[in-house]
Amino acid sequence: MSKVVLVGANHAGIAAANTILDHYPDNELMILDRNTNLSYLGCGTALWVGHQIDSSDQLFYTNKEDFVAKGADIHMQTNVTRIDYESKTVFYEEDGVAKETSYDKLILATGSTPIAPRLPGMDLEGVHFVKLFQDSQKVDALLAQEHVKNVVVVGAGYIGVEMAEAARRRGKNVRIVEAADTCLSGYYDPWFSHDMDKVMSDQGIELNYGEMVTSLEGDGTVSQVVTNKGTYDAELVILAIGFKPNNDLGKDHLTLFDNGAYLVDLHQKTSDDSVYAVGDCATIYSNALHQTTYIALATNAVRSGIVAGHNIGGTPIKSLGVQGSNGISIYGYNMVSTGLNLAAAEKAGLDVAYTEFEDLQKPGFMDENNNVKIRIIYEKESRRVVGAQIASYTDISMGIHMFSLAIMKDVTLEEIQLLDIFFLPHFNQPYNYITMAALSATE
């Protein structure tokens, strides 16, 4: 029997804990987490804040009692202060009392922290990140205040776009300020992201692209956002610039990736044989790049936790790598992607081409029908698919899973061209948009 200490209990930590408790009950598991709650589904924040769901209750899928019932020794509102890796000792503070515990195996699931720009006015009231459940509660409460009429969202990634929709649904004047020239540029090519820009503009969201925030102004409470191009009223500022790995507990001992994440192998093991790292604090292997990278997604976190749990339990399994599959739905417009977009492929030094197609989802005689667009990105020499993007008001999300598998298996564009795809008017056209995109390749 081994003693396993798990630091951090959100998605990755929970997956690791459940794997150990369910499959390897002979191990002693101690869980340390500094929060008051477990398993908050942050991806549902905008739905709750935007009043698209009734409450936040179902955004939690487990609790402390579930782990106690399985035999875990779990400590909430407990802050780990340091780790002595030589003596395998974790030092922590609980209820104001300094304590320590030993371990045979250690799992770091410390997640990520929001990127906080060094701007004048960051300490003003009304300036918020959206990471924890408590952050969401504060933003929700402010949106209920009559004096909050103008909301500025800084950053047009997934969280920024979703929170802009949520605030607009609450009847606020909403403005997005983003340094790039379009939204969602880390995931989608402009052919797609400009469509989402129009969706937001049509709903009254102001888009200020190519702008950098220089300061936040106000007398105790934020009242204006100043950029390099203008000044905008704001009683609420939501910062959604991105996240960085939380490596405070191991940065001086463990090998780090170039962005500060713990460098792990396919077993989730760090440079210390007794230490595993999972979730947003750790690296991941990209099948599109064929190399280690960093992709902070909840789905990746869960898979990494499962892998670590089995390896610690004694079953040596390897991660299959990831593609970074993701999706977003704003005002009913759905966009999904996997692998690399053109900008990411170029940054990685890949010589790629792309093929695309746009048409109605179903035959023209079908009443319920929407336009659909698709782009497939592939390496010119090997012909292997390295990325795909699909968008429509129809739910086309399941199609991206096929491309995720294609990237993982190094499927070529020619294999996609001859893929057996069924036809039925209720679902698609005789010449499916996936087939047509693949057949339309000119390089």
Side-chain angles (χ1 to χ4, degrees):
M1 183 177 76
S2 295
K3 180 176 180 180
V4 182
V5 174
L6 166 64
V7 181
N10 207 352
H11 305 305
I14 286 171
N18 279 328
T19 301
I20 293 169
L21 293 168
D22 293 343
H23 299 280
Y24 311 99
D26 289 341
N27 290 278
E28 178 185 351
L29 178 64
M30 183 179 188
I31 303 173
L32 306 173
D33 192 276
R34 63 187 178 187
N35 208 338
T36 59
N37 57 73
L38 294 171
S39 74
Y40 177 60
L41 288 168
C43 55
T45 294
L47 293 173
W48 169 48
V49 173
H51 288 180
Q52 291 178 267
I53 58 177
D54 293 334
S55 75
S56 61
D57 293 347
Q58 292 184 323
L59 295 179
F60 299 87
Y61 57 88
T62 191
N63 52 53
K64 177 180 178 179
E65 290 70 30
D66 290 343
F67 287 104
V68 172
K70 288 185 176 185
D73 178 18
I74 182 168
H75 300 255
M76 302 300 296
Q77 294 179 270
T78 299
N79 185 45
V80 175
T81 54
R82 69 183 181 92
I83 299 170
D84 186 329
Y85 292 94
E86 297 302 320
S87 66
K88 295 186 177 180
T89 305
V90 176
F91 297 87
Y92 61 98
E93 187 175 285
E94 184 176 27
D95 297 326
V97 179
K99 300 181 180 180
E100 62 183 72
T101 186
S102 62
Y103 66 84
D104 296 307
K105 298 293 183 182
L106 174 68
I107 307 174
L108 296 175
T110 50
S112 58
T113 57
I115 294 173
R118 296 182 179 179
L119 297 172
M122 282 289 292
D123 58 344
L124 292 170
E125 293 291 328
V127 179
H128 293 278
F129 297 99
V130 182
K131 172 70 171 177
L132 304 175
F133 175 57
Q134 293 88 338
D135 300 328
S136 305
Q137 287 179 305
K138 293 174 183 177
V139 170
D140 178 61
L142 278 171
L143 288 173
Q145 300 296 313
E146 187 66 29
H147 77 279
V148 177
K149 301 183 184 301
N150 303 288
V151 178
V152 171
V153 179
V154 182
Y158 271 160
I159 293 176
V161 170
E162 289 172 343
M163 292 307 297
E165 179 194 21
R168 186 62 182 156
R169 285 181 180 273
R170 296 286 290 272
K172 308 301 180 180
N173 302 317
V174 180
R175 183 185 306 274
I176 294 177
V177 176
E178 163 63 46
D181 59 4
T182 186
C183 70
L184 307 173
S185 59
Y187 302 96
Y188 298 93
D189 297 333
W191 191 47
F192 291 86
S193 56
H194 286 326
D195 287 348
M196 187 61 81
D197 291 338
K198 185 176 186 306
V199 168
M200 290 190 289
S201 293
D202 288 347
Q203 294 292 335
I205 297 173
E206 298 290 337
L207 304 175
N208 291 77
Y209 293 143
E211 291 193 40
M212 296 286 292
V213 176
T214 56
S215 68
L216 306 174
E217 305 291 341
D219 185 11
T221 301
V222 70
S223 60
Q224 290 185 320
V225 174
V226 181
T227 76
N228 59 335
K229 294 185 179 180
T231 300
Y232 311 106
D233 292 337
E235 294 78 39
L236 170 60
V237 175
I238 299 173
L239 297 170
I241 301 172
F243 298 94
K244 60 182 180 180
N246 180 5
N247 64 9
D248 288 347
L249 293 175
K251 62 184 178 182
D252 296 326
H253 174 70
L254 303 173
T255 301
L256 304 179
F257 191 55
D258 56 13
N259 73 331
Y262 299 127
L263 185 65
V264 297
D265 62 15
L266 294 179
H267 300 280
Q268 299 301 139
K269 185 183 290 186
T270 68
S271 53
D272 184 324
D273 281 345
S274 299
V275 182
Y276 292 73
V278 296
D280 290 0
C281 68
T283 56
I284 205 88
Y285 185 82
S286 165
N287 290 314
L289 292 171
H290 284 173
Q291 65 186 38
T292 297
T293 188
Y294 181 78
I295 305 174
L297 289 171
T299 48
N300 293 345
V302 169
R303 282 188 291 271
S304 68
I306 293 171
V307 170
H310 280 299
N311 279 284
I312 287 173
T315 304
I317 67 171
K318 290 184 178 181
S319 167
L320 297 178
V322 303
Q323 289 67 250
S325 305
N326 60 89
I328 191 169
S329 182
I330 300 295
Y331 290 108
Y333 190 64
N334 310 302
M335 300 204 318
V336 292
S337 76
T338 189
L340 309 173
N341 66 359
L342 290 174
E346 181 181 356
K347 183 178 180 181
L350 299 183
D351 185 16
V352 300
Y354 68 88
T355 181
E356 63 193 27
F357 189 73
E358 185 173 5
D359 199 359
L360 289 172
Q361 165 80 9
K362 307 170 188 176
F365 56 76
M366 297 297 290
D367 291 334
E368 294 184 8
N369 214 347
N370 286 301
N371 198 60
V372 61
K373 59 196 304 183
I374 179 173
R375 174 173 287 178
I376 306 170
I377 300 172
Y378 57 97
E379 266 191 324
K380 290 182 181 179
E381 183 176 354
S382 70
R383 313 296 288 175
R384 72 181 180 99
V385 175
V386 297
Q389 301 158 59
I390 315 175
S392 178
Y393 276 103
T394 296
D395 181 2
I396 37 69
S397 59
M398 291 303 294
I400 211 65
H401 299 312
M402 184 207 75
F403 282 103
S404 178
L405 181 62
I407 296 170
M408 186 177 78
K409 293 296 186 181
D410 287 336
V411 171
T412 66
L413 183 69
E414 283 70 27
E415 289 172 310
I416 298 291
Q417 290 174 346
L418 298 176
L419 181 67
D420 178 11
I421 297 178
F422 82 95
F423 158 64
L424 193 67
H426 306 73
F427 300 101
N428 55 14
Q429 299 221 42
Y431 284 83
N432 187 280
Y433 58 90
I434 294 174
T435 303
M436 290 303 297
L439 288 172
S440 299
T442 57
E443 292 188 65

